[in-house]
Amino acid sequence: MRRIRKKNKGRADKGIPLLLSIIAVFCVLGTVVFSVSRKITREMSTAAIQNLSESLNLIQCTIETVLNKEAEFQKLMALEIARGEDPESAILAYQRNQTMVKLALIPAGETEGISSTGETFSGEELDFSSGWTVDGLEISDSYLNYMGTWAYSIRCPVVKEGEEIGTLYVEYTYDSLDRSLPNKFYNNSAMLYIMDARTERFVLKPKGMGERSAGHVNLEDYYRANDIREQEIRDEVEECVRNGKNFMFYHEIRGKSALNYMWAVNGGSVYLTGYVPIESIQQEGKTVNQNILFVVAVMLIAFFLCCVLYYFNQRQQNRIRIEREAERELHSKQLTEALQAAQLASNSKTMFLSNMSHDIRTPMNAVLGFTTLLDRDAENPDKVRAYTRKIMASGQHLLSLINDILDVSKIESGKVVLNLEEFTLNDLVSSVDAIVRPMAAARSQEFHVEVKDIKHECLIGDETRVNQILINLLSNAVKYTPEGGNIWFRIIGLKQRSSQFEHIRIEVEDDGYGMTQEYLKTIFDAFTRAENSTTNKVQGTGLGMAITKNIVELMGGTIEVSSEVDKGSCFRVDLEFRVPEGQADKLFWQKSGISRILVAGGLQDGKNICTLMEEMGIPVDVVSCAEEALGRIQDAPEGYAMALLDWDTSEPGDIRTVEKIRKALPQTALLLLMTAHGADGAEQGVESGALPGALPREEALKMANTGVLPKPFFVSALKEKVTELQSGAAGKREEPSGGEESSLEGLRFLAAEDNEINAEILTEILTLEGAECVVVENGKMALERFGDSAEGEFDAILMDVQMPVMNGYDATRAIRALERGDVATIPIIAMTANAFAEDEREALHAGMNVHLAKPIDMELLKKVLRQCIPERGSTAAERSQ
């Protein structure tokens, strides 16, 4: 036993030096391998950076080659145009392709010319002030063209026989460069944008370029999205962009170390911007290191095989134990994360269901409760009317809740599409004022509307969505402001970033309850409302601000809010709208004989009037009061064709001065009294004496060529008033009788409705209005019934959309295709539960005249029918004969 112990001890003693030797060999070999690996990594990184530089240079050369080819081809086109007999015909004969979007030619010595689209073209719309050139030709700054695509233009002189006869402008889109860029860049792990150097906007995000964020609109968004906060880096980037230099820097992007680059193209007019993860750059070096480690490991295993077998079992057990512990830890972490996600989802679902249960049950309880009371008190007409009014209000509240939920759902799913059309700020402000002012008046609140520094009032945008933003903000201001409070609605023109866009700020301010700083952090989250004893009495879904923010961001704008408890809140929305071409209607003012305007009263209003009328070419003189205005007119009695007097700031003593102004002006000159309450408010104020210096109605509002112009001032509103006065309509202020105008009596409708209850309701409502209604069950039957009818038998067709056999769209197209005289003129009105903007566009595209969403508002239906059937009275009379 003692010998065995000594032998085992000797083996153990021999094993220790062997183990130490193996450890030493491993350490030496590991040190060598580590050093070699580090060296290879550095060399491969340097080579990879060089490779990235070469790739960027190649892309740079590719883009510059494309630009040079475009410039070279444009020179050839200019030469060809110079050789031709008719340069304008050559421009109009141009067929648009994927590279050149639009051609335009401006003759020498002129400021406007012809474009390939047939429209008048002005070179002043383009900005060539940066001085960038391509092959000797000037290239403009980047801009959004009429298709909403980033583009640039190159201009080239057209020389014939040594004389410049004009300038050729060609518009190119950055999208055409996408085909010249590589399909994959570092296996889609890199990110590549093209940035306009002057505006720092990202004008091209090519497909197949790896990870990109939809928020990368400009360089500031790029910094924010990638958490680049170091001011030194930003300053160096700015310096390089200003001097047209290339720049690379390391920065961690989304938790990964990356190499960022700013690569100048065409001397720095545009930049290649993006980053490449370091792990992608070092991928080849890692592969080489892994192969080296693999070979060394195999050699070590082969060399020390006998020695390692001694320890293999223990090491194997340790490895298994570590792997199991790591697996258990990973599994535990996954279970914890899954539990947290499940709890969060459960809480969100519970909160959603709780909010929906409360907000839906509240109006539904009112509907059911008043329906029960209606059944009990059916013999009491007064109670029946009261109950039905409350049922209608609760139903409207329930409908608004459903619309909000659907709006949020469509916005979050990315299915909302903006409907860009021309609109005027006058119409927008008037429609909002018509809704909000009665709401504020019902709570004895003062509603102030201000518009200033606006250069263009006719814009291109989605008026419906802008109106939705304003109604959400203003209705909240009314609800969360106590009675007797103040609400301010301002539209302010900001500095234009481009002459083609109007940059405006919308402010909605109140002196109401205000909000805490904690609530401001979540105000734009869905289903959130300020919680206190006062605001809890206000009904709402908590979706308005979430919808508003999403719509603002969809339009490319920003929204911010500031508030203080018991002092009020202020919302600011910044938006940019495209300015339509040729909106200045100078011919109207020439025909109207308006050559000079005198403004008396508010100096701020006078400044706005000067700004807006400057584009019309009409000089405006501004004085501070009516007395000074009278002196101006007496000094130059024939000098003014129109006078605008601020009626709100007039003093009682100014009234006789106003009468003197009217007498001093030429008989054909117009005198307009400006008031924030509009014509209706002015008349009421005059009759009641509420307005300062109240004149009798016949003296103030029925003097010759005298009228009321509502504030704020808009050119379009002024044009309407000038047309009204000059056509002799100013003296006809009597209200329409309304009985015959609003009645549907004698009209005959064809209705396609597959739901029996809806059909019964529609029939009963039209019968009460004195109209007849023929109901069919689907679109095919509607087509057949209309085809069998005599011309003029039906005044309009009310068409549902979702129906069996044939839907409303197909039925409308089929009716419009019939061979009879009235198919093009008979109104077809969509009456459907599909209430989104795309549904309205599809209805109009199918040939329908108007789209009305269910439930049907009878007053709205009457208004639509009055517009679609202007001579309904004669039609009904002819039918009766």
Side-chain angles (χ1 to χ4, degrees):
M1 281 300 285
R2 190 174 295 175
R3 289 182 180 178
I4 294 174
R5 290 177 180 176
K6 288 182 179 181
K7 186 176 181 180
N8 290 337
K9 185 178 180 181
R11 290 178 180 177
D13 293 338
K14 292 179 180 180
I16 292 175
L18 179 61
L19 178 60
L20 294 176
S21 300
I22 294 173
I23 293 175
V25 171
F26 268 101
C27 290
V28 173
L29 185 60
T31 302
V32 173
V33 172
F34 179 78
S35 301
V36 173
S37 176
R38 286 291 300 276
K39 182 178 180 182
I40 292 175
T41 299
R42 287 194 299 269
E43 292 176 354
M44 293 298 290
S45 296
T46 303
I49 294 174
Q50 182 64 30
N51 183 41
L52 174 60
S53 300
E54 293 175 358
S55 299
L56 293 174
N57 285 332
L58 179 60
I59 297 175
Q60 170 195 348
C61 293
T62 301
I63 296 176
E64 290 177 348
T65 301
V66 172
L67 294 175
N68 288 328
K69 289 296 182 182
E70 292 173 348
E72 182 179 349
F73 185 70
Q74 187 167 340
K75 289 180 180 178
L76 294 175
M77 291 179 63
L79 182 60
E80 189 67 23
I81 291 173
R83 292 175 179 174
E85 294 293 333
D86 189 356
E88 292 187 359
S89 298
I91 294 298
L92 293 174
Y94 164 73
Q95 297 295 326
R96 175 183 168 189
N97 57 40
Q98 294 180 345
T99 302
M100 296 185 292
V101 177
K102 183 171 70 174
L103 271 67
L105 178 66
I106 298 180
E110 297 183 13
T111 59
E112 294 183 345
I114 188 69
S115 69
S116 58
T117 61
E119 300 173 345
T120 301
F121 176 81
S122 173
E124 296 176 356
E125 302 169 350
L126 304 175
D127 189 0
F128 291 88
S129 61
S130 299
W132 305 113
T133 61
V134 177
D135 195 17
L137 300 183
E138 293 181 281
I139 181 172
S140 72
D141 288 345
S142 303
Y143 60 90
L144 280 171
N145 63 14
Y146 71 96
M147 298 182 298
T149 302
W150 282 103
Y152 60 93
S153 291
I154 299 177
R155 64 183 180 187
C156 172
V158 180
V159 180
K160 184 175 183 179
E161 298 179 356
E163 181 180 359
E164 182 174 340
I165 64 172
T167 304
L168 176 63
Y169 292 80
V170 179
E171 179 179 286
Y172 305 88
T173 62
Y174 282 97
D175 290 342
S176 63
L177 298 177
D178 194 13
R179 298 188 299 274
S180 304
L181 300 179
N183 291 329
K184 294 184 178 180
F185 200 41
Y186 283 89
N187 293 325
N188 287 338
S189 62
M191 183 175 68
L192 175 65
Y193 294 105
I194 293 182
M195 182 189 78
D196 181 72
R198 182 171 183 178
T199 63
E200 296 186 350
R201 284 186 174 272
F202 287 7
V203 296
L204 179 61
K205 297 184 281 187
K207 299 177 181 178
M209 288 294 116
E211 298 179 26
R212 303 181 306 282
S213 170
H216 291 177
V217 177
N218 54 35
L219 188 58
E220 187 64 28
D221 293 329
Y222 177 82
Y223 288 150
R224 183 168 55 255
N226 295 314
D227 201 24
I228 301 177
R229 302 179 180 178
E230 294 81 357
Q231 190 60 40
E232 296 179 359
I233 294 178
R234 295 191 177 195
D235 292 342
E236 193 163 356
V237 168
E238 183 179 356
E239 180 68 19
C240 291
V241 171
R242 185 166 53 250
N243 297 325
K245 297 180 179 179
N246 301 331
F247 179 53
M248 287 187 178
F249 61 93
Y250 288 95
H251 196 276
E252 187 170 287
I253 305 296
R254 299 190 181 104
K256 299 178 182 179
S257 181
L259 180 61
N260 294 256
Y261 56 86
M262 303 285 295
W263 214 257
V265 178
N266 191 36
S269 63
V270 295
Y271 266 79
L272 299 174
T273 305
Y275 67 82
V276 180
I278 297 299
E279 62 182 17
S280 299
I281 295 178
Q282 298 179 346
Q283 187 63 40
E284 296 179 359
K286 288 183 177 180
T287 302
V288 172
N289 289 334
Q290 290 173 357
N291 291 334
I292 293 175
L293 292 174
F294 178 78
V295 172
V296 171
V298 171
M299 291 176 61
L300 287 174
I301 291 172
F303 183 76
F304 295 106
L305 183 57
C306 294
C307 298
V308 172
L309 288 176
Y310 180 79
Y311 304 101
F312 179 80
N313 187 53
Q314 184 177 358
R315 292 176 59 193
Q316 184 73 7
Q317 294 297 325
N318 289 335
R319 187 175 64 83
I320 292 174
R321 178 178 57 81
I322 293 173
E323 288 179 354
R324 287 178 176 176
E325 290 178 355
E327 185 178 355
R328 284 196 296 268
E329 183 178 353
L330 178 61
H331 189 253
S332 176
K333 183 178 179 181
Q334 292 175 343
L335 288 176
T336 302
E337 292 176 352
L339 177 61
Q340 292 176 350
Q343 290 175 342
L344 181 60
S346 178
N347 291 337
S348 299
K349 183 181 73 172
T350 301
M351 180 180 295
F352 174 80
L353 292 177
S354 175
N355 281 320
M356 287 302 93
S357 175
H358 174 270
D359 290 330
I360 291 177
R361 286 176 183 274
T362 298
M364 184 58 69
N365 178 68
V367 170
L368 296 178
F370 282 115
T371 303
T372 303
L373 295 176
L374 188 63
D375 181 64
R376 188 192 66 184
D377 298 325
E379 304 301 327
N380 188 330
D382 293 335
K383 289 189 176 182
V384 168
R385 293 190 188 94
Y387 295 159
T388 52
R389 285 196 299 269
K390 294 175 181 179
I391 291 174
M392 178 66 71
S394 298
Q396 291 293 340
H397 176 62
L398 183 60
L399 180 61
S400 67
L401 171 62
I402 295 173
N403 288 337
D404 283 348
I405 295 173
L406 293 178
D407 260 349
V408 168
S409 175
K410 296 211 67 165
I411 290 172
E412 291 181 348
S413 63
K415 294 181 180 179
V416 172
V417 179
L418 296 178
N419 185 22
L420 301 181
E421 296 178 345
E422 285 193 22
F423 70 94
T424 64
L425 289 178
N426 176 38
D427 292 340
L428 180 67
V429 173
S430 298
S431 62
V432 171
D433 186 272
I435 296 173
V436 176
R437 190 172 295 278
M439 296 169 55
R443 294 172 58 86
S444 302
Q445 297 168 345
E446 289 292 331
F447 181 50
H448 311 275
V449 182
E450 301 175 14
V451 178
K452 62 179 180 180
D453 300 333
I454 296 295
K455 296 181 176 60
H456 306 90
E457 64 175 87
C458 184
L459 306 171
I460 295 178
D462 193 329
E463 182 181 7
T464 301
R465 292 298 181 182
V466 177
N467 189 75
Q468 186 176 1
I469 293 172
L470 296 178
I471 294 300
N472 280 344
L473 296 178
L474 289 168
S475 62
N476 276 352
V478 172
K479 288 190 292 186
Y480 293 104
T481 300
E483 293 188 2
N486 292 274
I487 298 168
W488 292 269
F489 169 36
R490 308 184 187 97
I491 298 182
I492 305 170
L494 302 180
K495 183 179 180 181
Q496 291 179 271
R497 299 187 178 97
S498 169
S499 61
Q500 297 177 333
F501 290 87
E502 181 77 17
H503 189 191
I504 68 173
R505 169 171 291 171
I506 298 171
E507 290 188 353
V508 174
E509 185 179 359
D510 62 69
D511 55 2
Y513 305 123
M515 295 171 282
T516 64
Q517 297 303 311
E518 292 75 13
Y519 176 65
L520 288 179
K521 299 176 182 178
T522 60
I523 186 175
F524 295 114
D525 295 340
F527 305 110
T528 57
R529 288 190 297 231
E531 298 291 336
N532 60 55
S533 59
T534 302
T535 59
N536 281 345
K537 300 177 183 178
V538 180
Q539 290 187 347
T541 64
L543 294 173
M545 288 298 99
I547 293 173
T548 300
K549 184 175 186 294
N550 280 306
I551 294 175
V552 169
E553 292 179 347
L554 186 64
M555 292 181 173
T558 60
I559 182 171
E560 60 182 22
V561 57
S562 59
S563 182
E564 191 172 346
V565 177
D566 296 330
K567 292 187 178 181
S569 306
C570 181
F571 288 83
R572 294 183 181 88
V573 177
D574 287 359
L575 295 170
E576 278 190 318
F577 296 99
R578 189 175 182 84
V579 178
E581 299 179 1
Q583 65 168 319
D585 189 6
K586 299 181 181 179
L587 185 60
F588 171 83
W589 304 103
Q590 295 175 2
K591 292 182 178 180
S592 302
I594 307 298
S595 59
R596 194 174 192 87
I597 298 175
L598 177 64
V599 178
L603 297 180
Q604 180 60 46
D605 290 333
K607 180 181 177 182
N608 293 335
I609 296 172
C610 290
T611 301
L612 290 173
M613 296 304 297
E614 181 180 358
E615 188 179 0
M616 306 296 128
I618 306 298
V620 178
D621 295 335
V622 181
V623 296
S624 60
C625 62
E627 289 285 351
E628 189 175 347
L630 179 61
R632 283 285 187 98
I633 296 173
Q634 291 173 345
D635 292 340
E638 304 297 330
Y640 297 103
M642 179 187 296
L644 304 179
L645 177 63
D646 193 333
W647 189 242
D648 294 335
T649 60
S650 299
E651 297 294 336
D654 292 339
I655 299 306
R656 297 307 169 194
T657 305
V658 174
E659 294 178 338
K660 293 178 182 178
I661 290 176
R662 176 64 272 176
K663 293 178 181 179
L665 285 171
Q667 186 176 3
T668 58
L670 304 181
L671 175 61
L672 298 180
L673 307 177
M674 298 179 61
T675 173
H677 300 281
D680 296 337
E683 292 178 2
Q684 295 169 5
V686 167
E687 292 174 340
S688 64
L691 292 178
L695 282 172
R697 179 175 179 179
E698 60 275 10
E699 294 182 25
L701 297 181
K702 289 205 171 184
M703 291 190 292
N705 288 328
T706 303
V708 174
L709 183 67
K711 293 182 182 180
F713 176 84
F714 287 106
V715 176
S716 57
L718 181 61
K719 288 175 61 177
E720 292 178 1
K721 182 57 66 174
V722 170
T723 302
E724 175 188 343
L725 291 177
Q726 291 187 343
S727 63
K732 302 176 182 179
R733 298 182 178 272
E734 296 182 2
E735 295 292 332
S737 59
E740 182 180 354
E741 185 71 17
S742 301
S743 176
L744 303 180
E745 185 173 357
L747 297 182
R748 184 176 174 85
F749 299 96
L750 173 61
E753 174 62 69
D754 62 320
N755 186 284
E756 294 182 2
I757 295 178
N758 290 341
E760 182 180 355
I761 293 173
L762 179 62
T763 302
E764 290 295 330
I765 291 177
L766 291 176
T767 302
L768 290 175
E769 294 292 333
E772 296 182 36
C773 182
V774 177
V775 180
V776 293
E777 297 178 0
N778 54 62
K780 183 178 180 181
M781 295 178 66
L783 173 62
E784 295 173 351
R785 181 65 180 85
F786 180 75
D788 295 337
S789 66
E791 290 191 15
E793 178 179 347
F794 295 109
D795 295 288
I797 300 176
L798 307 179
M799 185 74 71
D800 193 9
V801 172
Q802 294 184 354
M803 295 181 292
V805 184
M806 179 182 286
N807 63 43
Y809 300 140
D810 294 338
T812 299
R813 295 187 185 96
I815 290 174
R816 296 297 189 197
L818 292 175
E819 295 182 359
R820 49 186 287 174
D822 58 347
V823 294
T825 58
I826 186 167
I828 302 180
I829 301 171
M831 301 177 66
T832 172
N834 300 339
F836 291 107
E838 51 267 34
D839 300 316
E840 181 176 358
R841 285 196 296 271
E842 187 173 358
L844 299 178
H845 182 71
M848 299 182 183
N849 298 79
V850 182
H851 176 279
L852 296 180
K854 293 180 180 178
I856 296 301
D857 185 338
M858 183 51 62
E859 293 302 321
L860 181 58
L861 177 60
K862 290 180 184 178
K863 180 180 178 181
V864 168
L865 290 173
R866 286 198 297 270
Q867 295 172 351
C868 296
I869 317 175
E871 298 182 2
R872 60 191 182 282
S874 60
T875 303
E878 291 171 0
R879 185 184 299 110
S880 63
Q881 293 175 1

